[in-house]
Amino acid sequence: MIPIGERWAALATPFTRDPRDLDKLDALISLPFGSIVTTNYDRSLHHAYSQVFGKWVAPIERTNLRAGSHSREYFIARIHGSADSPTSMAVDVADYDNLRTDSGYLDFVLSLLQTRSCFFFGFSFLDPAIRHVLTIHADRHGPTFPKTHLALIPNRQPELHQQLRQVNIEVLEYDSSDGHLQAWRAIRTLADSYSTATFRPAPSIDPTFGHGALHHFLAFTDAQARTRQYAQPITEIARDGLVASLVSSPSQSVSEEFLRNKAAVLLGLSPEEAQQVVTTSLDRLATRDCVKRSGSHVTWIGPTTFGVDQDLQQLADNVVHRMQVRYGVRATTKDRQVALVLIENVLLTRAWDIAAQFARGASGFTANARGIIDETLSRLPIAERPTHGSQLSGSLQGLLHKPENRDAEILTRLSRVAFGVQLVLSSPRQTLFHQYALPRSVYLDASVLLPTIVPGHPLEATYTQVTTRLAAAARQAGLNFFICVGHQFLNEVVAHRERAIEMVETGDLEDPDVLRRHIQYHSAINTNVFIGAYGTAVATDSKPPTFSEFLGSIAPYSNETQLARYLDKKGIQATEMQFRNKFNREYLSIRNQLETAYEAIDKGKSTILVEHEAQQLTQLKIDTEAGISSVFVTADGKLRRAVASAVDLRDLSGSLLSHLGLVALTDVIAGIDGTDATSLARLMWLTADTSEERELVEYFVTLGLRKYDENMSADLQSLAERCAEEAAKEAKAQRLDLSSATKQLGKKNKFLDRFENHFYEYWNEAVQRRQREASEDMDG
């Protein structure tokens, strides 16, 4: 008998050979698709994409289809498994039967059909799993389907033609007698109408699902979130919001059968699945005096007005106010209307990206806040676009990045609510039936550990709540749960502390003005963690401590042994991950693959950091093979992409979680209470603007706001841009790296001090000019 490993290897071999005739796929890859989904096992499409666009493409495999359901990035998905991981391949009747009941598979494929317009080419509709999905799609969403699709199929198949039309798939037929050459010529002709020199595939999905119905769902979910007296899983709140929105009409009863059927259509569930959703939510709504049951009928007796509209209006009003203050622009009626639509769409789009992080996708956010805002504006019809688009965009960015306390509270709650809504709509089977397990071990990267253990850091409150809530959920479930950090990362924490001491000395950061300038330019989040926390202490303490005193009180350790003891008191275990003897072969293999993957992603990554990550990945592999559920939380998106791109490391992708993904996981499993709204809002909207000149503009705008005069509002932005342009040019000439929060501190502080003076000179000149103009008007 052939050993099982040899049998799988032999089965995969035909699909692992180097692909040939890739040029035939160039035209297909060049078409403006948002993604490609294939039932093939080979990597030909991935290679063709790399050949056409010269870049890596996000891999979505059968084992992580949930990430594809939430992705706004271009991806290629092999939904029936890959030859790289032979055991994932669906090859026989039993495998296809498993797919028929696989919630992740069904959610992914049904989500594609429901939210995207698909083009079927070279697709086997005889595949039993696909036929099953199309049948479900017809049962749950027909006859009025949300999307129309197109299929290019060989002629002389009238039965298939009719079957496809029944599921809203239009058919184009071609003569296949010449070996399908006619089809390939058509694809080439279409591709030639696009220029690959300027075109890049863009996401085709609109994550808002249509404003009206989704707003209704969002409003009821927000109402449920407001009335919770304690933290509850956000998907539970969203389920209740969904059912509440279906009952909603006051003094008008509806039957449970009606609710079940509506929920089944909306979520693409079977009647039995939908009944479970409706029953459990009605039970909770009844205990909260929101619904009254009478036999099989239900009446809404809860609130009929919703705070979400007032909250969105307040955010829009504050955006408009920022336009006046920052740009000297008075918003038009159209600007105010667009501000409301823009804020809600941006919240929902960001929620989609958070869901992708939760799903443990390979990449980070597809766009920063500015990118999301501009993308949303570009989707508006020309007649509906704002009068002052750029000013509206800039003002909303400012609101998201630096919200006032009340704004932060609104943003945090609505971001959570939108995340729950998007998750329930896009992954109904998994989210509705608690198919998310609490990991037994959560390993923290140094980038996540540091803000967690440094009091006063802007993100410390959120990370502390997350670890506390997860531990409490584990205790309630009677599970062993550990927050851990690899011993190799302790070295990075100690080095970070030493670097903070050096920064204070070389940059004169104990001078309050210098420290203020440093924090103002980089923010307390984007500088050294200890410096960021110290900035908070100096700003809030009437008698601020020296940095040495501060460090001694919040970081009483100077070596790895002391740090390990300190962490133990905080409930965080330092775990040895040395594999010199046992598991050495596995470690060396992982390290070599990781180094190779980084060659294409980040050649500048230091060897020691790669070794540290390889040790952690080895530990994850050991845990997985021992049946231990564990995740590694890291803010390093490049690591997640490297693991996903390495064939033999890809199975570990599901064990890597971003820092925001950890917050989302906690909200799904245990709920978070949002008591420190500002901290959570900062994390949800944390983005780095890579433009040095843009950072300088924001810096000078902040300076101008400190001495704001309404008569000067029209000049504020232009003065900031003028000074930023000059500063950026001089910094380039001096080879001064303004983007780094740690390099050339002394030189950079003097540089910013000088240009701060320049900005105030320009400001005073503008004030004097305004005064002269006003005087001349009076004389005239």
Side-chain angles (χ1 to χ4, degrees), residues 327-387:
Y327 298 97
V329 169
R330 293 193 179 276
T332 64
T333 300
K334 184 177 287 188
D335 289 332
R336 293 176 181 274
Q337 293 171 342
V338 173
L340 274 173
V341 175
L342 187 62
I343 290 169
E344 185 167 2
N345 280 359
V346 166
L347 281 167
L348 291 167
T349 304
R350 189 56 146 183
W352 187 274
D353 285 337
I354 293 173
Q357 297 285 296
F358 167 69
R360 306 179 197 184
S363 63
F365 290 135
T366 56
N368 58 23
R370 182 184 181 189
I372 294 175
I373 293 167
D374 291 345
E375 177 188 329
T376 306
L377 281 173
S378 70
R379 292 205 306 263
L380 293 175
I382 294 177
E384 297 178 15
R385 291 181 183 176
T387 308

Side-chain angles (χ1 to χ4, degrees), residues 15 38-43 78 80-84 89-91 96:
F15 308 103
T38 179
T39 56
N40 296 345
Y41 311 123
D42 61 84
R43 291 193 301 242
R78 293 184 286 187
H80 287 176
S82 67
D84 307 327
M89 295 165 58
V91 294
Y96 285 116

